[in-house]
Amino acid sequence: MPQWLCHQLEKAFRKQDIRQIRLLNDCWFFYRTKITDSKESVHISRQ
């Protein structure tokens, strides 16, 4: 997880900002999906 995202999540949890936590959670899943998709496409193209 990127460091900036960790800091933002910590800040949102400290403030108990549910909307921000949900937004950052969505960002993390989007980011993770993109990274996974790009790794799979590189792996497939090498075969």
Side-chain angles (χ1 to χ4, degrees), residues 1-2 4-5 8 13-14 17 28-31 38-40 42 45-46:
M1 179 180 292
W4 66 269
L5 186 55
Q8 291 294 319
F13 273 103
R14 279 195 306 270
D17 186 349
W28 168 239
F29 280 104
F30 179 77
Y31 174 83
S38 67
K39 285 182 180 179
E40 286 177 359
V42 168
S45 65
R46 289 183 182 171

Side-chain angles (χ1 to χ4, degrees), residues 15-35:
K15 290 183 174 183
Q16 297 180 353
D17 186 349
I18 300 299
R19 288 179 59 211
Q20 186 72 5
I21 293 167
R22 287 182 179 154
L23 174 69
L24 293 167
N25 190 47
D26 289 344
C27 290
W28 168 239
F29 280 104
F30 179 77
Y31 174 83
R32 204 174 75 176
T33 303
K34 289 292 182 186
I35 296 297

